Short mmCIF file of all heavy atoms in Angstrom, two decimals:
data_model
loop_
_atom_site.label_atom_id
_atom_site.label_comp_id
_atom_site.label_asym_id
_atom_site.label_seq_id
_atom_site.Cartn_x
_atom_site.Cartn_y
_atom_site.Cartn_z
N MET A 247 3.10 190.63 -47.00
CA MET A 247 1.83 190.42 -46.33
C MET A 247 1.92 190.89 -44.88
O MET A 247 2.99 191.06 -44.34
CB MET A 247 1.45 188.94 -46.38
CG MET A 247 1.18 188.42 -47.73
SD MET A 247 -0.55 188.54 -48.01
CE MET A 247 -0.64 187.78 -49.58
N TYR A 248 0.76 191.04 -44.27
CA TYR A 248 0.70 191.48 -42.88
C TYR A 248 0.83 190.29 -41.94
O TYR A 248 0.28 189.23 -42.18
CB TYR A 248 -0.63 192.19 -42.60
CG TYR A 248 -0.73 193.49 -43.34
CD1 TYR A 248 -1.53 193.61 -44.46
CD2 TYR A 248 -0.02 194.60 -42.92
CE1 TYR A 248 -1.63 194.81 -45.14
CE2 TYR A 248 -0.11 195.80 -43.59
CZ TYR A 248 -0.91 195.89 -44.70
OH TYR A 248 -1.00 197.08 -45.37
N ASP A 249 1.55 190.51 -40.89
CA ASP A 249 1.73 189.47 -39.88
C ASP A 249 0.81 189.78 -38.71
O ASP A 249 0.63 190.95 -38.33
CB ASP A 249 3.19 189.45 -39.44
CG ASP A 249 3.51 188.28 -38.54
OD1 ASP A 249 2.86 187.24 -38.63
OD2 ASP A 249 4.44 188.44 -37.73
N VAL A 250 0.22 188.78 -38.13
CA VAL A 250 -0.69 188.96 -36.99
C VAL A 250 0.05 189.58 -35.81
O VAL A 250 -0.49 190.45 -35.12
CB VAL A 250 -1.33 187.61 -36.59
CG1 VAL A 250 -2.19 187.78 -35.36
CG2 VAL A 250 -2.15 187.06 -37.74
N ALA A 251 1.28 189.19 -35.60
CA ALA A 251 2.06 189.74 -34.49
C ALA A 251 2.31 191.23 -34.68
O ALA A 251 2.26 192.01 -33.72
CB ALA A 251 3.38 189.00 -34.34
N ASP A 252 2.55 191.67 -35.93
CA ASP A 252 2.76 193.09 -36.21
C ASP A 252 1.50 193.90 -35.92
O ASP A 252 1.57 194.99 -35.36
CB ASP A 252 3.17 193.30 -37.66
CG ASP A 252 4.59 192.84 -37.94
OD1 ASP A 252 5.38 192.75 -36.98
OD2 ASP A 252 4.90 192.59 -39.12
N SER A 253 0.35 193.37 -36.29
CA SER A 253 -0.89 194.10 -36.04
C SER A 253 -1.19 194.19 -34.55
O SER A 253 -1.73 195.19 -34.07
CB SER A 253 -2.06 193.46 -36.79
OG SER A 253 -2.31 192.16 -36.31
N LYS A 254 -0.83 193.17 -33.79
CA LYS A 254 -1.03 193.23 -32.33
C LYS A 254 -0.11 194.26 -31.71
O LYS A 254 -0.51 194.99 -30.80
CB LYS A 254 -0.78 191.85 -31.71
CG LYS A 254 -1.88 190.86 -31.97
CD LYS A 254 -1.63 189.54 -31.29
CE LYS A 254 -2.73 188.54 -31.59
NZ LYS A 254 -2.50 187.26 -30.92
N LYS A 255 1.13 194.35 -32.19
CA LYS A 255 2.07 195.35 -31.68
C LYS A 255 1.57 196.75 -31.97
O LYS A 255 1.63 197.64 -31.13
CB LYS A 255 3.45 195.15 -32.30
CG LYS A 255 4.19 193.96 -31.77
CD LYS A 255 5.55 193.83 -32.43
CE LYS A 255 6.25 192.55 -32.02
NZ LYS A 255 7.53 192.39 -32.70
N LYS A 256 1.05 196.97 -33.19
CA LYS A 256 0.52 198.28 -33.55
C LYS A 256 -0.67 198.64 -32.67
O LYS A 256 -0.82 199.77 -32.25
CB LYS A 256 0.12 198.30 -35.02
CG LYS A 256 1.30 198.30 -35.96
CD LYS A 256 0.85 198.31 -37.39
CE LYS A 256 2.03 198.22 -38.34
NZ LYS A 256 1.62 198.17 -39.74
N GLN A 257 -1.53 197.67 -32.39
CA GLN A 257 -2.69 197.91 -31.53
C GLN A 257 -2.26 198.25 -30.11
O GLN A 257 -2.84 199.14 -29.49
CB GLN A 257 -3.62 196.68 -31.53
CG GLN A 257 -4.89 196.89 -30.75
CD GLN A 257 -5.76 197.98 -31.34
OE1 GLN A 257 -5.79 198.19 -32.55
NE2 GLN A 257 -6.46 198.69 -30.49
N GLU A 258 -1.24 197.58 -29.60
CA GLU A 258 -0.74 197.87 -28.26
C GLU A 258 -0.17 199.28 -28.20
O GLU A 258 -0.38 200.00 -27.22
CB GLU A 258 0.34 196.86 -27.87
CG GLU A 258 -0.20 195.48 -27.56
CD GLU A 258 0.90 194.48 -27.26
OE1 GLU A 258 2.06 194.89 -27.11
OE2 GLU A 258 0.59 193.28 -27.20
N ILE A 259 0.54 199.69 -29.22
CA ILE A 259 1.10 201.04 -29.26
C ILE A 259 -0.02 202.07 -29.29
O ILE A 259 0.03 203.09 -28.60
CB ILE A 259 2.04 201.20 -30.47
CG1 ILE A 259 3.30 200.36 -30.25
CG2 ILE A 259 2.41 202.66 -30.68
CD1 ILE A 259 4.19 200.26 -31.46
N CYS A 260 -1.07 201.82 -30.07
CA CYS A 260 -2.20 202.74 -30.16
C CYS A 260 -2.93 202.83 -28.82
O CYS A 260 -3.44 203.89 -28.46
CB CYS A 260 -3.17 202.31 -31.25
SG CYS A 260 -2.53 202.54 -32.91
N ASP A 261 -3.01 201.73 -28.08
CA ASP A 261 -3.67 201.74 -26.78
C ASP A 261 -2.87 202.52 -25.75
O ASP A 261 -3.43 203.05 -24.79
CB ASP A 261 -3.89 200.32 -26.27
CG ASP A 261 -4.93 199.56 -27.08
OD1 ASP A 261 -5.72 200.23 -27.79
OD2 ASP A 261 -4.95 198.33 -27.02
N GLN A 262 -1.56 202.60 -25.92
CA GLN A 262 -0.70 203.28 -24.97
C GLN A 262 -0.50 204.75 -25.32
O GLN A 262 0.13 205.48 -24.57
CB GLN A 262 0.68 202.61 -24.92
CG GLN A 262 0.66 201.21 -24.38
CD GLN A 262 2.02 200.56 -24.46
OE1 GLN A 262 2.96 201.16 -24.93
NE2 GLN A 262 2.11 199.35 -24.00
N GLN A 263 -1.02 205.20 -26.45
CA GLN A 263 -0.78 206.55 -26.92
C GLN A 263 -2.08 207.19 -27.36
O GLN A 263 -2.86 206.60 -28.09
CB GLN A 263 0.19 206.45 -28.10
CG GLN A 263 0.69 207.74 -28.62
CD GLN A 263 1.79 207.51 -29.63
OE1 GLN A 263 2.82 206.95 -29.28
NE2 GLN A 263 1.57 207.91 -30.85
N LYS A 264 -2.32 208.43 -26.89
CA LYS A 264 -3.54 209.15 -27.25
C LYS A 264 -3.20 210.60 -27.52
O LYS A 264 -2.27 211.15 -26.94
CB LYS A 264 -4.55 209.10 -26.10
CG LYS A 264 -5.08 207.73 -25.79
CD LYS A 264 -6.08 207.78 -24.67
CE LYS A 264 -6.57 206.38 -24.31
NZ LYS A 264 -7.51 206.41 -23.20
N PRO A 265 -3.97 211.26 -28.38
CA PRO A 265 -3.72 212.69 -28.62
C PRO A 265 -4.17 213.51 -27.41
O PRO A 265 -5.14 213.17 -26.73
CB PRO A 265 -4.57 213.01 -29.84
CG PRO A 265 -5.63 211.97 -29.86
CD PRO A 265 -5.03 210.75 -29.24
N LEU A 266 -3.44 214.59 -27.12
CA LEU A 266 -3.80 215.49 -26.03
C LEU A 266 -4.84 216.46 -26.56
O LEU A 266 -4.60 217.17 -27.53
CB LEU A 266 -2.56 216.23 -25.53
CG LEU A 266 -2.75 217.20 -24.38
CD1 LEU A 266 -3.37 216.52 -23.18
CD2 LEU A 266 -1.42 217.82 -24.00
N LEU A 267 -6.02 216.48 -25.95
CA LEU A 267 -7.11 217.33 -26.39
C LEU A 267 -7.14 218.63 -25.60
O LEU A 267 -6.79 218.66 -24.41
CB LEU A 267 -8.45 216.61 -26.23
CG LEU A 267 -8.60 215.30 -26.98
CD1 LEU A 267 -9.96 214.68 -26.69
CD2 LEU A 267 -8.39 215.47 -28.47
N CYS A 268 -7.56 219.69 -26.25
CA CYS A 268 -7.65 221.00 -25.60
C CYS A 268 -8.75 220.96 -24.54
O CYS A 268 -9.88 220.54 -24.81
CB CYS A 268 -7.98 222.06 -26.65
SG CYS A 268 -8.27 223.70 -25.98
N PRO A 269 -8.45 221.39 -23.31
CA PRO A 269 -9.49 221.38 -22.27
C PRO A 269 -10.58 222.44 -22.49
O PRO A 269 -11.65 222.33 -21.92
CB PRO A 269 -8.71 221.65 -20.98
CG PRO A 269 -7.43 222.24 -21.40
CD PRO A 269 -7.16 221.79 -22.80
N ARG A 270 -10.33 223.43 -23.33
CA ARG A 270 -11.32 224.48 -23.57
C ARG A 270 -12.29 224.14 -24.69
O ARG A 270 -13.50 224.25 -24.53
CB ARG A 270 -10.62 225.80 -23.90
CG ARG A 270 -9.89 226.36 -22.72
CD ARG A 270 -9.34 227.72 -23.03
NE ARG A 270 -8.61 228.22 -21.87
CZ ARG A 270 -8.28 229.48 -21.73
NH1 ARG A 270 -8.56 230.35 -22.67
NH2 ARG A 270 -7.62 229.86 -20.66
N CYS A 271 -11.75 223.72 -25.86
CA CYS A 271 -12.63 223.49 -27.01
C CYS A 271 -12.75 222.01 -27.38
O CYS A 271 -13.61 221.64 -28.18
CB CYS A 271 -12.13 224.27 -28.22
SG CYS A 271 -10.62 223.64 -28.98
N GLY A 272 -11.87 221.15 -26.84
CA GLY A 272 -11.92 219.73 -27.15
C GLY A 272 -11.23 219.35 -28.44
O GLY A 272 -11.27 218.20 -28.85
N GLY A 273 -10.58 220.33 -29.09
CA GLY A 273 -9.87 220.05 -30.34
C GLY A 273 -8.54 219.36 -30.08
O GLY A 273 -7.98 219.43 -28.99
N LYS A 274 -8.01 218.72 -31.12
CA LYS A 274 -6.72 218.05 -31.00
C LYS A 274 -5.60 219.08 -30.99
O LYS A 274 -5.63 220.04 -31.76
CB LYS A 274 -6.49 217.10 -32.17
CG LYS A 274 -7.30 215.84 -32.11
CD LYS A 274 -6.88 214.93 -33.25
CE LYS A 274 -7.70 213.67 -33.26
NZ LYS A 274 -7.33 212.81 -34.39
N THR A 275 -4.63 218.86 -30.13
CA THR A 275 -3.42 219.68 -30.15
C THR A 275 -2.37 218.90 -30.93
O THR A 275 -2.64 217.84 -31.46
CB THR A 275 -2.92 219.97 -28.72
OG1 THR A 275 -2.58 218.75 -28.09
CG2 THR A 275 -3.99 220.69 -27.91
N ARG A 276 -1.17 219.42 -30.99
CA ARG A 276 -0.11 218.75 -31.76
C ARG A 276 0.67 217.75 -30.94
O ARG A 276 1.71 217.27 -31.37
CB ARG A 276 0.83 219.81 -32.33
CG ARG A 276 0.15 220.71 -33.32
CD ARG A 276 1.10 221.68 -33.94
NE ARG A 276 0.44 222.43 -34.98
CZ ARG A 276 0.19 223.72 -34.90
NH1 ARG A 276 0.57 224.41 -33.85
NH2 ARG A 276 -0.42 224.32 -35.88
N LEU A 277 0.19 217.42 -29.75
CA LEU A 277 0.91 216.52 -28.86
C LEU A 277 0.19 215.19 -28.71
O LEU A 277 -1.04 215.14 -28.68
CB LEU A 277 1.05 217.15 -27.47
CG LEU A 277 1.82 218.47 -27.41
CD1 LEU A 277 1.74 219.04 -26.01
CD2 LEU A 277 3.25 218.25 -27.81
N ASN A 278 0.96 214.13 -28.57
CA ASN A 278 0.44 212.82 -28.24
C ASN A 278 0.96 212.43 -26.86
O ASN A 278 2.11 212.72 -26.52
CB ASN A 278 0.89 211.76 -29.25
CG ASN A 278 0.13 211.87 -30.54
OD1 ASN A 278 -1.03 212.24 -30.56
ND2 ASN A 278 0.79 211.56 -31.63
N LEU A 279 0.11 211.79 -26.08
CA LEU A 279 0.50 211.34 -24.74
C LEU A 279 0.69 209.84 -24.75
O LEU A 279 -0.08 209.11 -25.36
CB LEU A 279 -0.60 211.68 -23.73
CG LEU A 279 -0.87 213.14 -23.46
CD1 LEU A 279 -2.04 213.27 -22.51
CD2 LEU A 279 0.35 213.81 -22.90
N ARG A 280 1.72 209.41 -24.05
CA ARG A 280 1.90 207.99 -23.79
C ARG A 280 1.34 207.70 -22.42
O ARG A 280 1.06 208.61 -21.64
CB ARG A 280 3.38 207.63 -23.85
CG ARG A 280 3.94 207.67 -25.22
CD ARG A 280 5.38 207.33 -25.24
NE ARG A 280 5.68 206.31 -24.23
CZ ARG A 280 6.66 205.45 -24.33
NH1 ARG A 280 7.44 205.48 -25.36
NH2 ARG A 280 6.87 204.56 -23.40
N LYS A 281 1.16 206.42 -22.12
CA LYS A 281 0.56 206.01 -20.85
C LYS A 281 1.39 206.49 -19.66
O LYS A 281 0.86 206.85 -18.62
CB LYS A 281 0.42 204.50 -20.83
CG LYS A 281 -0.38 203.98 -19.69
CD LYS A 281 -0.59 202.49 -19.82
CE LYS A 281 -1.46 201.97 -18.72
NZ LYS A 281 -1.70 200.54 -18.83
N ASP A 282 2.71 206.55 -19.80
CA ASP A 282 3.59 206.92 -18.70
C ASP A 282 3.96 208.40 -18.69
O ASP A 282 4.81 208.82 -17.91
CB ASP A 282 4.85 206.06 -18.73
CG ASP A 282 5.63 206.20 -20.02
OD1 ASP A 282 5.08 206.77 -20.98
OD2 ASP A 282 6.78 205.74 -20.07
N THR A 283 3.31 209.23 -19.52
CA THR A 283 3.64 210.66 -19.59
C THR A 283 3.05 211.42 -18.41
O THR A 283 1.88 211.25 -18.07
CB THR A 283 3.10 211.26 -20.90
OG1 THR A 283 3.67 210.57 -21.99
CG2 THR A 283 3.44 212.74 -21.00
N GLU A 284 3.87 212.28 -17.82
CA GLU A 284 3.42 213.19 -16.78
C GLU A 284 3.89 214.59 -17.14
O GLU A 284 5.05 214.80 -17.46
CB GLU A 284 4.00 212.79 -15.42
CG GLU A 284 3.44 211.50 -14.87
CD GLU A 284 3.96 211.20 -13.48
OE1 GLU A 284 4.39 212.14 -12.78
OE2 GLU A 284 3.94 210.02 -13.10
N LEU A 285 2.97 215.56 -17.06
CA LEU A 285 3.31 216.96 -17.31
C LEU A 285 2.86 217.77 -16.11
O LEU A 285 1.76 217.60 -15.60
CB LEU A 285 2.58 217.46 -18.56
CG LEU A 285 2.90 216.78 -19.88
CD1 LEU A 285 1.95 217.29 -20.97
CD2 LEU A 285 4.33 217.05 -20.28
N LYS A 286 3.73 218.68 -15.67
CA LYS A 286 3.39 219.57 -14.56
C LYS A 286 3.63 221.00 -15.01
O LYS A 286 4.68 221.33 -15.54
CB LYS A 286 4.26 219.26 -13.34
CG LYS A 286 3.98 217.91 -12.75
CD LYS A 286 4.81 217.67 -11.52
CE LYS A 286 4.53 216.27 -10.98
NZ LYS A 286 5.34 215.97 -9.82
N ASN A 287 2.62 221.84 -14.80
CA ASN A 287 2.68 223.25 -15.17
C ASN A 287 3.08 223.41 -16.63
O ASN A 287 3.97 224.19 -16.97
CB ASN A 287 3.64 224.02 -14.27
CG ASN A 287 3.21 224.00 -12.84
OD1 ASN A 287 2.02 224.02 -12.55
ND2 ASN A 287 4.15 223.94 -11.93
N PHE A 288 2.42 222.68 -17.51
CA PHE A 288 2.72 222.70 -18.94
C PHE A 288 1.82 223.70 -19.63
O PHE A 288 0.60 223.69 -19.47
CB PHE A 288 2.52 221.30 -19.53
CG PHE A 288 2.88 221.20 -20.97
CD1 PHE A 288 4.20 221.15 -21.35
CD2 PHE A 288 1.89 221.15 -21.94
CE1 PHE A 288 4.54 221.05 -22.70
CE2 PHE A 288 2.23 221.06 -23.29
CZ PHE A 288 3.55 221.00 -23.66
N LEU A 289 2.42 224.59 -20.43
CA LEU A 289 1.66 225.59 -21.17
C LEU A 289 1.24 224.97 -22.51
O LEU A 289 2.06 224.79 -23.41
CB LEU A 289 2.50 226.83 -21.40
CG LEU A 289 1.78 228.04 -21.96
CD1 LEU A 289 0.63 228.46 -21.04
CD2 LEU A 289 2.74 229.19 -22.13
N LEU A 290 -0.04 224.61 -22.63
CA LEU A 290 -0.58 223.92 -23.79
C LEU A 290 -1.20 224.93 -24.74
O LEU A 290 -2.05 225.74 -24.34
CB LEU A 290 -1.64 222.91 -23.33
CG LEU A 290 -2.36 222.14 -24.41
CD1 LEU A 290 -1.39 221.21 -25.14
CD2 LEU A 290 -3.50 221.34 -23.82
N PHE A 291 -0.79 224.90 -26.02
CA PHE A 291 -1.37 225.78 -27.03
C PHE A 291 -2.28 224.98 -27.94
O PHE A 291 -1.91 223.91 -28.42
CB PHE A 291 -0.27 226.44 -27.88
CG PHE A 291 -0.82 227.27 -29.00
CD1 PHE A 291 -1.38 228.51 -28.74
CD2 PHE A 291 -0.78 226.81 -30.29
CE1 PHE A 291 -1.89 229.29 -29.77
CE2 PHE A 291 -1.30 227.57 -31.34
CZ PHE A 291 -1.85 228.82 -31.07
N CYS A 292 -3.47 225.49 -28.19
CA CYS A 292 -4.43 224.84 -29.08
C CYS A 292 -4.47 225.62 -30.40
O CYS A 292 -4.81 226.81 -30.42
CB CYS A 292 -5.81 224.82 -28.45
SG CYS A 292 -7.07 224.12 -29.55
N PRO A 293 -4.13 224.96 -31.53
CA PRO A 293 -4.17 225.66 -32.81
C PRO A 293 -5.60 225.96 -33.30
O PRO A 293 -5.79 226.83 -34.13
CB PRO A 293 -3.47 224.69 -33.77
CG PRO A 293 -3.52 223.37 -33.13
CD PRO A 293 -3.61 223.61 -31.65
N LYS A 294 -6.59 225.27 -32.74
CA LYS A 294 -7.97 225.48 -33.17
C LYS A 294 -8.56 226.75 -32.55
O LYS A 294 -9.07 227.61 -33.25
CB LYS A 294 -8.82 224.27 -32.81
CG LYS A 294 -10.25 224.37 -33.29
CD LYS A 294 -11.02 223.11 -32.97
CE LYS A 294 -12.46 223.26 -33.41
NZ LYS A 294 -13.25 222.08 -33.03
N CYS A 295 -8.47 226.86 -31.21
CA CYS A 295 -9.06 228.02 -30.54
C CYS A 295 -8.04 229.11 -30.23
O CYS A 295 -8.38 230.15 -29.70
CB CYS A 295 -9.80 227.59 -29.27
SG CYS A 295 -8.76 226.92 -27.95
N LYS A 296 -6.77 228.86 -30.56
CA LYS A 296 -5.68 229.83 -30.41
C LYS A 296 -5.50 230.31 -28.97
O LYS A 296 -5.11 231.44 -28.71
CB LYS A 296 -5.90 231.05 -31.31
CG LYS A 296 -6.16 230.73 -32.76
CD LYS A 296 -4.89 230.43 -33.49
CE LYS A 296 -5.10 230.41 -34.99
NZ LYS A 296 -5.36 229.13 -35.57
N GLN A 297 -5.78 229.43 -28.01
CA GLN A 297 -5.65 229.77 -26.59
C GLN A 297 -4.52 228.96 -25.97
O GLN A 297 -4.24 227.85 -26.39
CB GLN A 297 -6.95 229.46 -25.86
CG GLN A 297 -8.14 230.27 -26.32
CD GLN A 297 -8.01 231.73 -25.96
OE1 GLN A 297 -7.61 232.07 -24.86
NE2 GLN A 297 -8.33 232.59 -26.91
N GLU A 298 -3.90 229.53 -24.95
CA GLU A 298 -2.90 228.82 -24.16
C GLU A 298 -3.52 228.50 -22.81
O GLU A 298 -4.21 229.33 -22.22
CB GLU A 298 -1.65 229.68 -23.96
CG GLU A 298 -0.87 229.91 -25.22
CD GLU A 298 0.35 230.75 -24.99
OE1 GLU A 298 0.40 231.50 -23.99
OE2 GLU A 298 1.27 230.68 -25.82
N THR A 299 -3.28 227.29 -22.33
CA THR A 299 -3.83 226.84 -21.06
C THR A 299 -2.75 226.14 -20.27
O THR A 299 -2.00 225.34 -20.81
CB THR A 299 -4.99 225.85 -21.30
OG1 THR A 299 -5.92 226.43 -22.21
CG2 THR A 299 -5.71 225.51 -20.01
N LEU A 300 -2.66 226.43 -18.98
CA LEU A 300 -1.71 225.77 -18.10
C LEU A 300 -2.36 224.49 -17.57
O LEU A 300 -3.45 224.53 -17.00
CB LEU A 300 -1.35 226.70 -16.94
CG LEU A 300 -0.07 226.45 -16.20
CD1 LEU A 300 1.12 226.47 -17.13
CD2 LEU A 300 0.12 227.47 -15.12
N VAL A 301 -1.69 223.34 -17.80
CA VAL A 301 -2.29 222.05 -17.43
C VAL A 301 -1.28 221.16 -16.71
O VAL A 301 -0.07 221.33 -16.83
CB VAL A 301 -2.81 221.29 -18.67
CG1 VAL A 301 -3.93 222.03 -19.35
CG2 VAL A 301 -1.71 220.97 -19.65
N ASN A 302 -1.84 220.21 -15.96
CA ASN A 302 -1.10 219.07 -15.41
C ASN A 302 -1.71 217.83 -16.03
O ASN A 302 -2.93 217.74 -16.19
CB ASN A 302 -1.23 218.99 -13.89
CG ASN A 302 -0.47 220.08 -13.17
OD1 ASN A 302 0.45 220.68 -13.72
ND2 ASN A 302 -0.86 220.35 -11.94
N VAL A 303 -0.87 216.85 -16.38
CA VAL A 303 -1.36 215.61 -16.99
C VAL A 303 -0.70 214.43 -16.29
O VAL A 303 0.51 214.41 -16.08
CB VAL A 303 -1.02 215.55 -18.49
CG1 VAL A 303 -1.50 214.24 -19.09
CG2 VAL A 303 -1.63 216.72 -19.23
N LYS A 304 -1.53 213.43 -15.93
CA LYS A 304 -1.03 212.18 -15.35
C LYS A 304 -2.06 211.09 -15.66
O LYS A 304 -3.25 211.28 -15.44
CB LYS A 304 -0.83 212.32 -13.85
CG LYS A 304 -0.18 211.11 -13.23
CD LYS A 304 0.15 211.35 -11.77
CE LYS A 304 0.85 210.14 -11.21
NZ LYS A 304 1.16 210.29 -9.80
N ASP A 305 -1.59 209.96 -16.18
CA ASP A 305 -2.46 208.82 -16.52
C ASP A 305 -3.59 209.23 -17.46
O ASP A 305 -4.75 208.88 -17.25
CB ASP A 305 -3.03 208.16 -15.26
CG ASP A 305 -1.94 207.58 -14.38
OD1 ASP A 305 -0.93 207.10 -14.93
OD2 ASP A 305 -2.11 207.60 -13.15
N PHE A 306 -3.30 210.01 -18.49
CA PHE A 306 -4.25 210.49 -19.49
C PHE A 306 -5.29 211.43 -18.91
O PHE A 306 -6.26 211.77 -19.58
CB PHE A 306 -4.96 209.33 -20.20
CG PHE A 306 -4.08 208.47 -21.05
CD1 PHE A 306 -4.04 207.11 -20.85
CD2 PHE A 306 -3.28 209.01 -22.04
CE1 PHE A 306 -3.24 206.30 -21.64
CE2 PHE A 306 -2.47 208.21 -22.82
CZ PHE A 306 -2.45 206.85 -22.62
N LYS A 307 -5.15 211.90 -17.67
CA LYS A 307 -6.10 212.83 -17.07
C LYS A 307 -5.50 214.23 -17.13
O LYS A 307 -4.43 214.48 -16.62
CB LYS A 307 -6.40 212.44 -15.63
CG LYS A 307 -7.12 211.12 -15.53
CD LYS A 307 -7.41 210.76 -14.11
CE LYS A 307 -8.04 209.38 -14.03
NZ LYS A 307 -8.24 208.95 -12.66
N VAL A 308 -6.24 215.16 -17.75
CA VAL A 308 -5.78 216.53 -17.91
C VAL A 308 -6.48 217.40 -16.87
O VAL A 308 -7.71 217.41 -16.78
CB VAL A 308 -6.11 217.05 -19.33
CG1 VAL A 308 -5.64 218.49 -19.49
CG2 VAL A 308 -5.46 216.15 -20.37
N ILE A 309 -5.70 218.14 -16.09
CA ILE A 309 -6.22 219.02 -15.05
C ILE A 309 -5.80 220.44 -15.40
O ILE A 309 -4.61 220.71 -15.54
CB ILE A 309 -5.70 218.63 -13.66
CG1 ILE A 309 -6.13 217.20 -13.34
CG2 ILE A 309 -6.22 219.61 -12.61
CD1 ILE A 309 -5.46 216.64 -12.11
N THR A 310 -6.76 221.34 -15.56
CA THR A 310 -6.47 222.74 -15.85
C THR A 310 -6.12 223.47 -14.56
O THR A 310 -6.81 223.32 -13.55
CB THR A 310 -7.70 223.40 -16.50
OG1 THR A 310 -8.06 222.66 -17.65
CG2 THR A 310 -7.38 224.82 -16.91
N ILE A 311 -5.06 224.25 -14.63
CA ILE A 311 -4.62 225.00 -13.43
C ILE A 311 -5.21 226.40 -13.49
O ILE A 311 -5.19 227.06 -14.48
CB ILE A 311 -3.08 225.07 -13.37
CG1 ILE A 311 -2.51 223.68 -13.33
CG2 ILE A 311 -2.63 225.89 -12.19
CD1 ILE A 311 -1.00 223.62 -13.42
#
């Protein structure tokens, strides 16, 4: 059976982790971000629009360079 504590842990993990979305088309990329993830000058590839974009990421905020 499911334990209430397990479901709370899963919810906390989901709140701390989000998929990285393409800044051009808004599609999902193959990367997930955690709350403490920082990326600088990261070359992001989107499988949907087949474009590469240089981005900085901090606190779930994506900035296109």
Side-chain angles (χ1 to χ4, degrees):
M247 294 266 183
Y248 293 105
D249 188 28
V250 176
D252 288 339
S253 64
K254 287 183 181 180
K255 287 180 186 178
K256 288 179 184 178
Q257 184 63 32
E258 288 176 10
I259 291 170
C260 290
D261 291 341
Q262 294 175 359
Q263 187 171 298
K264 294 181 183 178
L266 181 56
L267 301 178
C268 175
R270 292 186 181 195
C271 72
K274 286 186 182 178
T275 62
R276 295 184 174 113
L277 299 174
N278 285 327
L279 294 176
R280 289 179 36 152
K281 190 174 183 179
D282 59 347
T283 301
E284 291 185 23
L285 298 172
K286 293 183 182 178
N287 298 325
F288 183 76
L289 190 58
L290 177 66
F291 175 75
C292 176
K294 183 177 177 184
C295 66
K296 308 280 193 265
Q297 297 292 316
E298 292 180 338
T299 308
L300 201 57
V301 296
N302 289 339
V303 178
K304 187 174 182 182
D305 297 326
F306 294 126
K307 294 180 184 175
V308 180
I309 300 169
T310 304
I311 301 174

